[in-house]
């Protein structure tokens, strides 16, 4: 049995061993290291392990090699510079409580691992806040149970940090009155069954209404029954589709009365002793043409310091939301609950009431507004030399749209941009050229995956889908904001102030290996051994630029990346290739930025509204909450786009479309219609008269008899055969003949037992879930 080594006694164990063995160097066994990592999930980085076992010099080199071996063998996984046992639950995780054991202890599983290990939820004595129960969702710290053997018993314990609002057992659907006068609920989720409503359970619902229902006990025969508990609105309403996502994902969208009252009572900030007067500085806002709030303004000028020839001074001013949203207030509690604004094609669910977001904090042209500003000096090579933060009163000198500013630079100024072209816009673009040199030297990850935008008609239905032009005006603002975010993180680190970082881990070893296997199928290689850098991915992307594999490789590289998140422990941002990074530039729509503003105000002595001790103590909890609300928003936005496009195509059954294969799984192919950005599914059973095998490495399905098949990113022709608009699901039929896939048979036999096949004679299935 392995000896127990913890962070408290590892050093003592090393000293005792050295005393017994004289000059011999004590090195922990593999089991001791695995045990330490399991028992100390919050101190499991390479440095933490070396410190715990008092390893120095060449011992640390030995440790690095051993940890690499354990990762290669699949015993350890690396995330955020911390190591964990393979398949381990994150130290801070969102849990779903599903039951109790014989002693009444609550049992849960991680929300992102519904089939994962069981977790015993411990209740702290004297803890404040709601008591969790079965069916609740909580944010908790998890701890592995020593010597866990039985999969039917808890493998972890958890200490609750936050109980989310209890989700009821209600479901959403569309109330329908059939020709025979009976009532049905048309499902809006792919796995949701159709429901029957009795007349006395109608609750005033009309045909076409979006309703919330409570399913009742299912009968032995026929469809399950339900009763309507609330009517959410008519499906004919132009915003009904996004309302489905809002309710399906439990997104708070109605501000409580006390929150509105606080917002309405807020008075405009004044120029007090702590606030500098920058109203004469010609800051300008550059935003989308349809933007309703403006939370950032920029200005740049050449550096007059003779020691910095060719350098620039860039200024970024951000709305001072902390002046109005103070810790512990109703406004603050609601903002944290929402975490961020949610953007749908037809509406925005804001983090803050309109009085704050669109009025008092919006940097309107010609209006005095409080702001937090950072002044940054760059060398001619784009290296940041110094920066300083200021709490200011500003006055925007112009409100510009991206195309408008770009047109002025390209030689077509209008009445608004003409007067400021030489004095404001050209210096901004000159400063951007300097910052771009620094970006090019830094080499962040440069994926080429254009984003689509849905344009709606007045009735809320889809008009068309476009790919907006990517202008230098967009890139300018993006780079100015990135540098401001870096400056915020650096300042707070220098002040030893706790903060919420925006972190992005590098690809896991498993994802690296999967990418490496794929690249080999198209004649490209990816080095092993050293830690990956964005420049290595950029090199691969450059090699395929302009050829048939460009889109395919961009997609696969994207899928190999980790998901960005918020965390008080910094590991850097892999995608941007930055050592420290924090969100500072959008406090109107992201709570993370508001926390960073408060941290700057408090640590720099910039007046009222700084970070409180309570917030510092809850930093890990806050980071977990806002990471969860960000993922919630992304899922809701994606589902809404799917439903809108499916509704748009509902009348086009049996039409043919040009498509691109966007996903390959054992069960079939996901295809995307590039002109609409819509995804659908082609079951493997409909592909033809061959047995199709899934080649994971090559991202393909190939026929056992012919060796021909289909691969990720292939351009194909498909026919739309089935559609469920409210669920956002579509099923297609493949019209393009399979193509030869060299090496597929060899790859199949090499990994025999890890692939799956499906008979073409199987019955066709309905629309499937997206990945």
């Amino acid at each position: 049995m392995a000896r127990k080594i913890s962070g408290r006694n590892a050093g003592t164990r090393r000293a005792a061993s050295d005393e017994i063995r004289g000059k011999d160097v004590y090195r922990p066994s593999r089991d001791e290291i695995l045990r330490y990592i399991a028992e100390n999930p919050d101190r499991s980085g390479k440095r933490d392990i070396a410190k715990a076992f008092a390893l120095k010099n060449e011992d640390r080199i030995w440790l690095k090699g051993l940890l690499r071996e354990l990762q290669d063998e699949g015993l350890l996984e690396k995330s955020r510079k911390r190591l964990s046992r393979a398949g381990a639950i994150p130290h801070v995780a969102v849990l779903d409580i599903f039951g109790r054991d014989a002693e009444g202890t609550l049992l849960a599983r991680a929300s992102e691992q519904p089939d994962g290990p069981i977790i015993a939820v411990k209740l702290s004595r004297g803890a404040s806040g709601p008591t969790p129960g079965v069916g609740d969702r909580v944010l908790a710290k998890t701890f592995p149970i020593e010597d866990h053997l039985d999969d039917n018993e808890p493998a972890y314990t958890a200490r609750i940090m936050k109980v989310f609002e209890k989700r009821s057992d209600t479901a959403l659907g569309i109330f329908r009155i059939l020709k025979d006068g009976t009532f049905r609920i048309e499902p809006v989720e792919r796995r949701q069954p159709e429901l029957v409503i009795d007349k006395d359970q109608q609750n005033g619902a009309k045909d076409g209404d979006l309703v919330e229902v409570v399913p009742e006990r299912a009968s032995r025969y026929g469809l399950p029954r339900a009763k309507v508990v609330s009517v959410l609105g008519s499906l004919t309403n132009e915003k009904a589709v996004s309302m489905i996502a809002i309710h399906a994902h439990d997104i708070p969208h109605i501000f409580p009365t006390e929150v509105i009252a606080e917002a309405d009572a807020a008075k405009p900030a004044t120029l007090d002793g702590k606030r500098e007067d920058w109203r004469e500085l010609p800051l300008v806002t550059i935003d989308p043409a349809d933007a309703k709030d403006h939370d950032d303004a920029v200005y740049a000028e050449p550096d007059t310091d003779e020691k910095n020839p060719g350098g620039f001074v860039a200024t970024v001013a951000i709305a001072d939301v902390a002046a109005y949203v103070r810790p512990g207030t109703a406004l603050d509690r609601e903002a944290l609950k929402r975490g961020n604004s949610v953007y749908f094609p037809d509406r925005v669910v804001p983090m803050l009431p309109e009085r704050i977001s669109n009025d008092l904090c919006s940097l309107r042209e010609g209006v005095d507004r409080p702001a937090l500003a950072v002044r940054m000096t760059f060398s001619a090579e784009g290296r940041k030399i110094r920066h300083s933060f200021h709490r200011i009163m500003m006055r925007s000198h112009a409100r510009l749209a991206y195309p408008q500013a770009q047109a002025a630079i390209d030689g077509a100024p209008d009445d608004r941009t003409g007067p400021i072209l030489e004095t404001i816009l050209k210096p901004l673009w000159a400063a951007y050229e300097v910052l771009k040199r620094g970006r090019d030297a830094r080499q962040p990850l440069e994926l080429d995956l254009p984003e689509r935008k849905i344009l709606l008609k007045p009735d809320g239905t889809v008009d068309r889908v476009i790919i907006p032009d990517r202008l230098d005006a967009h890139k300018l603002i993006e780079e100015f904001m990135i540098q401001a975010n870096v400056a915020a993180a650096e300042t707070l680190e220098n002040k030893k102030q706790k903060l919420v970082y925006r972190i992005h881990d590098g690809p896991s070893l498993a994802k690296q290996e999967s990418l490496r296997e794929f690249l080999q199928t198209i004649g490209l290689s990816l080095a092993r051994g050293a830690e990956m850098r964005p420049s290595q991915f950029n090199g691969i992307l450059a090699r395929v630029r302009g050829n048939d594999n460009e889109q395919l490789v961009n997609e696969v590289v994207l899928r190999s990346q980790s998901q960005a998140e918020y965390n008080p422990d910094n590991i850097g941002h892999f995608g941007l290739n930055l050592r420290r990074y924090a969100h500072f530039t959008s406090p109107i729509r992201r709570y993370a930025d508001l926390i960073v503003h408060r941290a700057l105000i408090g640590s720099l002595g910039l007046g009222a509204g700084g970070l409180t001790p309570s917030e510092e103590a809850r930093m890990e909890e806050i980071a977990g909450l806002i990471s969860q609300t960000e993922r919630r928003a992304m899922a809701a936005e994606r589902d809404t786009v799917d439903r809108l496009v499916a509704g748009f195509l509902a009348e086009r059954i049996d039409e043919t479309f040009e498509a691109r294969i966007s996903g390959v799984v054992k069960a079939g192919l996901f295809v995307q219609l590039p002109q609409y950005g819509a995804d659908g599914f082609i079951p493997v059973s409909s592909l033809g008269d061959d047995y199709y095998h899934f080649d994971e490495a090559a991202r393909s399905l190939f026929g056992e008899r012919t060796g021909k098949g289909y691969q990720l990113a292939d351009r194909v022709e498909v026919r739309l055969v089935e559609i469920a608009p409210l669920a956002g699901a579509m099923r297609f039929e493949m019209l393009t003949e399979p193509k030869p896939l060299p090496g597929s048979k060899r790859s199949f036999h090499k990994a025999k037992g890890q692939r799956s096949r499906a008979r073409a004679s199987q019955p066709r299935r309905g629309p499937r879930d997206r990945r």
Side-chain angles (χ1 to χ4, degrees):
M1 181 175 177
R3 292 163 291 173
K4 182 175 182 179
I5 301 293
S6 70
R8 294 186 298 275
N9 62 21
T12 304
R13 176 67 183 85
R14 161 71 189 266
S17 176
D18 284 354
E19 184 178 347
I20 292 171
R21 297 169 61 188
K23 293 183 180 180
D24 290 342
V25 175
Y26 166 74
R27 288 176 174 173
S29 68
R30 290 159 59 100
D31 286 342
E32 286 175 327
I33 288 178
L34 291 171
R35 175 68 61 84
Y36 171 84
I37 290 171
E39 294 175 352
N40 299 273
D42 54 343
R43 299 193 305 276
S44 59
K46 186 170 60 181
R47 291 183 180 179
D48 296 317
I49 298 169
K51 184 177 180 181
F53 291 98
L55 301 177
K56 298 181 180 179
N57 303 326
E58 67 274 9
D59 292 350
R60 293 198 172 205
I61 298 174
W62 166 84
L63 175 65
K64 181 178 179 181
L66 179 59
L67 294 177
R68 172 66 68 175
E69 286 180 15
L70 292 172
Q71 291 178 72
D72 290 343
E73 292 171 18
L75 296 175
L76 289 179
E77 294 177 345
K78 187 175 182 182
S79 175
R80 301 181 307 198
K81 291 191 177 179
R82 289 179 180 172
L83 293 157
S84 62
R85 296 298 296 265
I89 300 296
H91 184 44
V92 176
V94 176
L95 311 180
D96 289 323
I97 300 174
F98 66 85
R100 295 180 184 270
D101 64 13
E103 299 178 355
T105 301
L106 292 171
L107 303 177
R109 284 190 171 93
S111 298
E112 296 186 358
Q113 298 184 35
D115 298 322
I118 298 172
I119 303 165
V121 179
K122 303 294 185 181
L123 302 181
S124 302
R125 292 182 179 178
S128 60
T131 301
V134 176
D136 279 342
R137 174 168 285 188
V138 300
L139 183 73
K141 286 187 176 181
T142 64
F143 304 90
I145 294 176
E146 185 178 349
D147 299 327
H148 171 262
L149 298 173
D150 189 347
D151 289 341
N152 294 319
E153 295 294 326
Y156 291 79
T157 60
R159 179 165 58 81
I160 292 176
M161 303 167 67
K162 168 81 173 180
V163 179
F164 296 109
E165 285 194 3
K166 188 169 183 178
R167 183 170 181 171
S168 68
D169 59 354
T170 59
L172 291 178
I174 305 301
F175 187 82
R176 297 295 189 194
I177 302 177
L178 304 186
K179 292 181 179 180
D180 61 3
T182 58
F183 304 144
R184 295 283 177 87
I185 297 299
E186 182 182 345
V188 297
E189 296 290 342
R190 294 179 175 92
R191 292 190 178 95
Q192 183 180 326
E194 191 174 11
L195 302 169
V196 174
I197 302 292
D198 293 330
K199 190 171 184 179
D200 59 350
Q201 303 290 355
Q202 179 182 356
N203 198 17
K206 300 176 182 178
D207 188 56
D209 280 349
L210 175 64
V211 297
E212 196 172 28
V213 300
V214 175
E216 297 182 330
R217 188 170 59 185
S219 61
R220 182 172 298 181
Y221 306 103
L223 295 172
R225 311 186 90 79
K227 65 177 180 180
V228 176
V229 293
S230 63
V231 178
L232 305 175
S234 173
L235 194 62
T236 59
N237 183 288
E238 62 183 33
K239 295 184 178 180
V241 174
S242 57
M243 184 59 71
I244 293 173
I246 287 169
H247 283 273
H249 293 276
D250 289 328
I251 294 174
H253 66 290
I254 299 175
F255 286 105
T257 303
E258 61 177 340
V259 174
I260 295 297
E262 276 189 10
D264 289 343
K267 305 296 182 185
T270 59
L271 185 63
D272 57 26
K274 291 288 185 179
R275 200 176 292 280
E276 302 174 40
D277 189 351
W278 283 24
R279 288 176 292 183
E280 296 304 314
L281 187 71
L283 290 153
V284 298
T285 62
I286 306 177
D287 292 296
D290 56 355
K292 293 184 178 179
D293 58 65
H294 310 275
D295 55 5
D296 58 80
V298 293
Y299 175 73
E301 60 186 354
D303 188 6
T304 57
D305 187 348
E306 295 180 355
K307 297 179 181 179
N308 186 30
F312 269 82
V313 178
T315 300
V316 174
I318 306 297
D320 188 357
V321 176
Y324 300 102
V325 183
R326 298 296 173 87
T329 61
L331 268 170
D332 182 52
R333 290 193 297 271
E334 184 68 15
L336 176 56
K337 177 181 174 182
R338 296 179 177 226
N340 45 258
S341 298
V342 187
Y343 294 85
F344 299 107
D346 58 353
R347 73 164 82 196
V348 175
V349 178
M351 185 180 79
L352 297 168
E354 188 172 339
R355 166 70 171 158
I356 302 296
S357 60
N358 291 359
D359 185 5
L360 295 177
C361 286
S362 186
L363 306 181
R364 296 179 175 178
E365 181 179 346
V367 179
D368 292 358
R369 285 290 182 258
L372 204 59
V374 56
R375 181 172 278 159
M376 303 170 287
T377 302
F378 294 89
S379 70
E381 296 75 34
R383 179 176 57 87
K384 182 159 65 67
I385 299 173
R386 68 183 74 90
H387 68 265
S388 60
F389 281 88
H390 309 261
R391 206 172 192 186
I392 67 170
M393 184 67 74
M394 61 160 284
R395 183 182 296 160
S396 172
H397 284 235
R399 171 191 170 184
L400 305 176
Y402 287 118
Q404 182 182 25
Q406 187 67 55
I409 291 296
D410 292 342
D414 58 19
D415 292 342
R416 181 176 292 267
T417 56
I420 61 172
L421 179 59
E422 297 294 331
T423 56
I424 298 177
L425 293 182
K426 285 188 175 180
L428 273 173
W429 256 257
Y432 168 59
E433 289 299 320
V434 166
L435 267 63
K436 190 163 62 173
R437 291 175 202 143
R439 178 185 175 89
D440 292 343
R442 192 175 80 238
Q443 294 191 61
L445 184 60
E446 300 282 7
L447 288 168
D448 184 15
L449 294 167
E451 294 187 8
R452 291 168 176 80
K453 182 177 181 179
I454 292 182
L455 301 181
L456 302 179
K457 299 175 184 177
D459 64 358
T461 59
V462 176
D463 180 17
R464 63 188 189 279
V465 181
I466 63 170
I467 300 177
D469 292 334
R470 177 77 167 150
L471 307 172
D472 279 348
H474 295 101
K475 298 175 185 178
L476 181 153
I477 295 299
E478 178 183 278
E479 194 59 31
F480 271 56
M481 298 304 117
I482 287 173
Q483 292 300 330
N485 289 336
V486 171
E490 289 177 346
T491 293
L492 293 174
E493 273 197 6
N494 290 337
K495 290 291 182 179
K496 303 190 183 308
Q497 169 64 58
K498 201 169 184 180
L499 71 146
V500 172
Y501 292 93
R502 180 64 168 178
I503 65 170
H504 180 223
D505 204 357
S508 66
L509 281 176
K511 288 186 175 180
Q512 287 181 38
E513 188 59 33
S514 177
L515 176 63
R516 188 175 292 111
E517 290 179 359
F518 159 72
L519 292 174
Q520 288 175 350
T521 68
I522 58 173
L524 298 175
S525 62
L526 183 66
R528 278 191 174 91
E531 290 189 12
M532 294 295 297
R533 300 291 180 192
S535 57
Q536 292 171 274
F537 290 106
N538 290 340
I540 293 168
L541 298 173
R543 291 178 64 183
V544 298
R545 191 165 295 128
N547 70 29
D548 292 342
N549 289 321
E550 180 177 7
Q551 186 73 28
L552 169 62
V553 174
N554 271 270
E555 289 278 2
V556 177
V557 169
L558 173 65
R559 296 176 192 196
S560 73
Q561 303 303 306
S562 301
Q563 186 175 30
E565 61 178 280
Y566 297 106
N567 201 293
D569 295 327
N570 183 35
I571 63 163
H573 197 293
F574 179 83
L576 293 174
N577 201 14
L578 293 168
R579 294 178 59 189
R580 52 191 62 84
Y581 191 67
H583 273 166
F584 159 76
T585 53
S586 295
I588 288 177
R589 62 184 180 90
R590 292 188 306 224
Y591 195 84
D593 304 58
L594 177 56
I595 287 290
V596 169
H597 274 232
R598 288 173 177 166
L600 288 166
I601 290 167
S603 62
L604 297 175
L606 298 178
L611 203 64
T612 65
S614 173
E615 287 178 297
E616 287 197 54
R618 297 176 59 214
M619 199 71 80
E620 193 169 22
E621 174 190 338
I622 291 171
L625 285 171
I626 58 182
S627 293
Q628 190 263 341
T629 60
E630 179 184 49
R631 289 191 289 271
R632 177 181 68 185
M634 291 170 62
E637 292 166 357
R638 183 175 60 247
D639 288 353
T640 298
V641 169
D642 287 346
R643 289 188 175 103
L644 283 169
V645 175
F648 178 63
L649 298 176
E651 304 300 322
R652 302 179 68 177
I653 298 292
D654 289 332
E655 284 193 29
T656 60
F657 297 89
E658 294 295 322
R660 184 176 58 83
I661 296 176
S662 59
V664 183
V665 293
K666 299 173 185 177
L669 304 169
F670 290 95
V671 293
Q672 184 182 74
L673 309 184
Q675 62 269 49
Y676 303 111
D679 282 313
F681 190 70
I682 301 176
V684 68
S685 58
S686 68
L687 288 180
D689 58 353
D690 203 344
Y691 294 115
Y692 279 87
H693 299 282
F694 174 46
D695 188 334
E696 185 175 4
R699 308 300 201 276
S700 69
L701 285 176
F702 69 93
E704 183 176 291
R705 179 172 52 82
T706 65
K708 297 179 179 181
Y710 304 94
Q711 188 175 37
L712 184 71
D714 281 352
R715 296 195 174 275
V716 294
E717 187 176 18
V718 297
R719 178 185 291 116
L720 180 59
V721 294
E722 186 179 351
I723 195 163
L726 293 178
M730 294 183 286
R731 183 168 66 84
F732 291 93
E733 181 180 76
M734 179 66 74
L735 299 180
T736 299
E737 291 296 318
K739 68 178 184 180
L741 296 174
S744 291
K745 286 188 177 182
R746 177 187 58 80
S747 185
F748 170 73
H749 290 296
K750 180 181 178 181
K752 189 175 182 181
Q754 300 179 17
R755 314 295 190 213
S756 69
R757 67 181 185 178
R759 291 184 178 274
S761 60
Q762 291 175 340
R764 292 186 180 180
R765 301 173 177 89
R768 290 294 190 96
D769 289 336
R770 294 178 59 203
R771 290 194 307 165

